[in-house]
């Protein structure tokens, strides 16, 4: 199992492995996450990607993540991938913060992107795939969303 974490202050990375050969995908995306998965797939399709969560075996789950991380993309040896989101963080987050977090984790899980910590003009992070460990600032809002998504699905 390989894990990426997005956190506010620093990055945690853990590596392991697991056997889940008996795993069967059963539509496992929580309702409150599904709207963001759907939105991600739509934005992806508009940029030339074709993503099917079941075929890709990508699911979502809420967890009490016991580090300072708020999200994680778990990758199993079988190819199954799970986005774990910290329930407490989720419940106090805005719509845009939730979208940012899900899109970041799906950037790992669905697009197989690594972190990109480059800084652009005025100290702005150039990518949603920023790890949170550097000093650039993310301004993800309705004005910047489109450009960030173009970079995400490049
Ligand atoms: Zn990350």
């Amino acid at each position: 199992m390989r894990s990426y974490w997005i956190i506010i202050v620093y990055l945690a990375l853990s590596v392991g492995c697991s056997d889940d050969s008996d795993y069967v995908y059963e539509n496992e995306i929580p309702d409150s996450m599904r709207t963001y998965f759907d939105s991600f797939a739509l934005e992806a399709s508009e940029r030339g990607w074709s993503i099917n969560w079941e075929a890709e075996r990508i699911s979502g789950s809420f967890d009490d993540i016991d580090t300072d991380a708020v999200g994680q993309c778990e990758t199993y040896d079988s190819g199954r991938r799970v986005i774990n989101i910290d329930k407490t963080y989720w419940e106090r987050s805005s719509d845009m913060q939730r979208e940012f977090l899900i899109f970041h984790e799906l950037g790992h899980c669905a697009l197989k992107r690594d972190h990109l910590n480059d800084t652009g003009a005025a100290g702005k992070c150039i990518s949603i795939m920023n790890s949170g460990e550097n000093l650039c600032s993310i301004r993800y809002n309705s004005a910047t969303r489109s450009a960030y998504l173009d970079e995400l699905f490049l």
Side-chain angles (χ1 to χ4, degrees):
M1 183 180 81
R2 197 170 47 153
S3 304
Y4 296 98
W5 300 81
I6 178 174
I7 54 177
I8 303 305
V9 183
Y10 59 88
L11 166 75
L13 188 70
S14 65
V15 178
C17 59
S18 63
D19 176 20
D20 67 338
S21 50
D22 295 333
Y23 173 76
V24 177
Y25 188 97
E26 291 179 352
N27 205 25
E28 292 168 357
I29 301 171
D31 287 344
S32 65
M33 261 188 224
R34 181 167 292 279
T35 179
Y36 303 99
F37 274 66
D38 288 347
S39 176
F40 184 93
L42 177 66
E43 297 292 344
S45 72
E46 288 173 356
R47 292 167 176 84
W49 292 75
S50 176
I51 296 176
N52 178 302
W53 303 121
E54 183 162 355
E56 299 270 351
R57 306 177 78 211
I58 296 174
S59 58
S61 137
F62 288 109
D63 228 328
D64 285 322
I65 297 173
D66 57 0
T67 68
D68 287 340
V70 295
Q72 173 196 35
C73 162
E74 279 184 328
T75 301
Y76 291 80
D77 295 343
S78 64
R80 174 190 172 206
R81 284 150 281 165
V82 181
I83 289 184
N84 291 318
I85 299 297
D86 185 82
K87 185 76 172 166
T88 304
Y89 175 82
W90 186 263
E91 284 171 352
R92 64 178 164 82
S93 293
S94 69
D95 180 57
M96 289 302 277
Q97 287 172 318
R98 290 177 177 185
E99 177 173 287
F100 178 87
L101 177 59
I102 295 290
F103 281 23
H104 175 98
E105 298 307 335
L106 287 175
H108 291 311
C109 271
L111 308 179
K112 304 214 165 63
R113 287 197 54 172
D114 287 322
H115 284 137
L116 177 62
N117 287 331
D118 293 0
T119 303
K124 226 174 76 172
C125 304
I126 66 160
S127 177
I128 284 179
M129 298 314 296
N130 161 58
S131 71
E133 68 183 339
N134 61 334
L135 295 176
C136 66
S137 65
I138 276 282
R139 297 184 190 92
Y140 187 69
N141 53 47
S142 56
T144 62
R145 181 178 186 272
S146 179
Y148 273 123
L149 297 190
D150 285 345
E151 192 283 328
L152 179 64
F153 295 107
L154 200 65

